[in-house]
Amino acid sequence: MTIAFWWHEEIRAIKVSLLSILRVSELIPGTAVQLRRSRSENRLSVKTATPCGYTTGSHHASIFRPAHLLFGDDGRPEISNRPAKSFWQLAKLTNMFGWLRSMRDALQFSYEVYAKCVTAIEWEQTRFGKLIMKHVVLAVVFTISMAACSPKAVNSSDAPTDGALNAVVDYSATGWMAKTLPEIVAALEAEEVTSEALVHGYLDRIAMIDQAGPTLQAVLALNPNALEEARASDAARKAGQPMGPLAGVPVLLKDNIESKEQIATTAGALALKGNVTGRDSPLVAGLRRSGAIILGKTNLSQWANFRSENSMSGWSALGGQVRNPHMLDRNPCGSSSGSAAATAASLAAASVGTETNGSIICPSTVNGIVGFKPTVGLVSQQYIVPISSSQDTAGPMTKTVTGAALMLNAMSTGDAKTDYVAGLDVGALSGKRIGVMRFAQGSNTNVKALFDRALTDLQDAGAELVEIDGFVPSTNDYQSKSYDLLKYEFKATLNAYLAEAAPGVTVRSLKELIAFNAAHADVELALFDQGILEASEMLGDLSTPAYLAAKADVQAATGVNGIDKMMADNSVDVLVSPSGPLAPRVDAINGDVWPDWAGAGYLAAVSGYPNLTVPMGEVKGLPVGLSLMAAKDQDANVLAMGYAYEQQSKKRVDPQYLSNAEARPEIAEAMKRRAD
């Protein structure tokens, strides 16, 4: 294939980002690539050589799949195999107008960087070659796709007429990167893929779409030993050594979970930037015993979203704002934002999140994945930056329920632990009575329609539906009491954690943390305050009568008088509702602004009971899940019924990396002015 382009005198600038335009798939085995620049013709050309010979036709655009952004042999630009008649139309199709550097400078940059070594550069199918080739193609393609003509140079006949695309580049995962955790486990066992290849693939994908391109900012730190550990896993498998069920599988941890790698556990905060503890939390130790490779740490809502009432979900001082891969301007929810976005975007085979109240379930539903919040105590809280001793738990975040069960088998240590994978049964809903929490379905008509469809799927799987129209907490001032409970426990547990933090941490108490943030306000307080930290510091210890009373009241309201009572009164096996509302836009001015809430996840969160979200569809590109919750230690039953629903419905959708809602053609059309 030849990519050739010539510039118009009015084309002056392009947005500079070598890695922001194209996700390049792996080269076809046996393929070599040549990069040449012709000074006389002022053009760059990229020619592929396959085992069948040299070719320049656009039918080899699959080398640069999936963008198909190229110039054909006739010199006309093409995007996704659709011709563009001019640079103006090309610019309109790409919908990008960044005026930062001249095209000529960009071309010169590409030539100087890559043609210094040799006149014509060829790389065979090697990792080094693939990485270099990605940069070569990006240098060429971003120059094309970001170019735009000055309006005065536009001929009206050149303007796009219909079908203009808002996004050219498809960042969707392909090959092994697109597989689910169970599929990856099976492929490793069959030696169809190596752990090293998986780690390479995920690292490449992180570089291409997390650190550049859509810039998800879901991954906060990478394990420098991941490749070495992957090679060791491959060698052990080749030698016939016994392998754990997750042997060689790359996973990500939320960055409030300690691991022994020489990377800090920060909770996204500047104050914990030196928190390199060199120890594994028990859940990480369990993952290692199962053979998993810790790929790195994920970004999160700072301090697990317990810092300000005006916070932005998915923002941390160290990691910036996590982006929702389904629609980049939409809220990824939190606090396990990075874990959810990374899993949805195939940046690892699976991830681990944590929840105090909604922090696994909410980001999982809006990112379109499976998330499981276990019964509190099933997964150890040790060596996790805390909020609440009575509500905190870690849990798996994966693409499938089977993947969640595989992860939970490795992570869990509590007395109620069992084999969660063995308990999965496609017939688990047959004969079961399902409590339908209508009071928690929300007001959005599209979400309610999806919920009704999910209920039909449950019936088709053999379940009987029981309507539950209302619920009122059994204690007065439930909201204020449950909030005070968290503030009391946050002060106590964080003080204990900071007192024993790594030597590189200078703050040793909540009071010192507040002062640290104030001293670094330009970074820490740039977008919102630390009101929750300050309010927590003003409270007493855990022997305070007000705390003890609040804890007893809210746990009874959500447990014995909540989930337990609803299930007993209606003789049901599980309770269901939507997992949450549709994601709103990220708002750096007002903080999180959510629509009318859907779901009853607070009941499972405060009581400490299990809660599972499984994708139940999408509304105009935004996913939403079905929540299944039950009584304490009913984790295996919840997973089994969630699995049966998943197999019946199959509603998970892959991210589309849309810039906003207007990137959907039907919405863009509806937004047009028609008064004329």
Side-chain angles (χ1 to χ4, degrees), residues 128-146:
F128 176 77
K130 285 186 286 183
L131 286 176
I132 294 297
M133 190 56 218
K134 289 178 181 180
H135 292 283
V136 171
V137 177
L138 286 166
V140 175
V141 174
F142 96 106
T143 302
I144 301 172
S145 61
M146 286 299 196

Side-chain angles (χ1 to χ4, degrees), residues 170 182 265 270 332 351 426 495 518 521 541 598:
D170 183 356
T265 300
L270 187 60
S351 64
V426 71
N495 278 339
D541 61 27

Side-chain angles (χ1 to χ4, degrees), residues 14 37 92-93 114 224 241-242 248 269 314 344 361 417 435 453 470 524:
I14 54 168
R37 178 174 186 264
K92 294 293 286 184
L93 287 170
Y114 298 110
Q241 297 179 16
I361 299 302
K417 178 178 180 176
R453 174 67 255 184
E524 285 290 348

Side-chain angles (χ1 to χ4, degrees), residues 270-561:
L270 187 60
L272 292 186
K273 192 173 182 179
N275 191 33
V276 182
T277 65
R279 62 192 181 190
D280 277 343
S281 62
L283 76 88
V284 176
L287 289 169
R288 287 195 206 278
R289 284 192 298 272
S290 291
I293 307 296
I294 306 303
L295 188 63
K297 301 285 190 73
T298 58
N299 198 4
L300 69 162
S301 306
Q302 192 182 77
W303 297 109
N305 219 7
F306 205 70
R307 200 196 89 177
S308 172
E309 294 178 358
N310 302 307
S311 66
M312 295 163 56
S313 292
W315 180 89
S316 72
L318 293 181
Q321 178 64 47
V322 177
R323 297 293 175 180
N324 187 320
H326 291 270
M327 200 170 287
L328 300 174
D329 70 338
R330 293 283 160 164
N331 199 309
C333 202
S335 60
S336 303
S337 318
S339 294
T343 299
S346 300
L347 303 184
S351 64
V352 181
T354 65
E355 174 161 324
T356 302
N357 192 338
S359 288
I360 290 174
I361 299 302
C362 183
S364 294
T365 184
V366 302
N367 285 277
I369 64 169
V370 170
F372 184 58
K373 185 205 82 72
T375 296
V376 171
L378 181 61
V379 178
S380 174
Q381 297 176 349
Q382 189 177 27
Y383 302 150
I384 300 175
V385 181
I387 292 178
S388 166
S389 51
S390 62
Q391 293 177 213
D392 286 353
T393 183
M397 303 174 76
T398 62
K399 294 179 180 178
T400 66
V401 177
T402 303
L406 280 164
M407 292 285 284
L408 190 61
N409 275 355
M411 295 164 55
S412 56
T413 57
D415 294 338
K417 178 178 180 176
T418 186
D419 187 339
Y420 300 100
V421 176
L424 300 181
D425 178 7
V426 71
L429 285 167
S430 180
K432 294 294 191 296
R433 287 170 58 85
I434 309 298
V436 180
M437 295 187 286
R438 287 291 182 188
F439 63 89
Q441 69 179 354
S443 59
N444 185 288
T445 56
N446 291 311
V447 173
K448 290 193 288 185
L450 287 178
F451 185 44
D452 287 340
R453 174 67 255 184
L455 296 177
T456 300
D457 288 333
L458 292 169
Q459 288 180 308
D460 291 345
E464 177 185 352
L465 303 182
V466 179
E467 296 284 336
I468 303 175
D469 294 324
F471 171 77
V472 178
S474 61
T475 182
N476 294 327
D477 300 323
Y478 168 81
Q479 293 291 344
S480 62
K481 287 179 180 178
S482 60
Y483 187 25
D484 286 345
L485 165 67
L486 295 184
K487 288 185 286 187
Y488 274 107
E489 293 188 347
F490 180 63
K491 178 180 179 179
T493 57
L494 187 64
N495 278 339
Y497 182 86
L498 291 175
E500 298 182 357
V505 177
T506 60
V507 299
R508 294 295 167 176
S509 68
L510 176 57
K511 183 177 181 179
E512 291 181 9
L513 172 62
I514 293 168
F516 179 94
N517 289 344
H520 298 83
D522 58 328
V523 175
E524 285 290 348
L525 307 181
L527 294 175
F528 49 86
D529 60 32
Q530 54 179 340
I532 294 177
L533 303 189
E534 294 165 343
S536 299
E537 175 60 24
M538 295 175 64
L539 298 178
D541 61 27
L542 299 188
S543 65
T544 304
Y547 161 72
L548 295 173
K551 181 178 179 180
D553 286 351
V554 300
Q555 288 187 343
T558 54
V560 174
N561 298 322

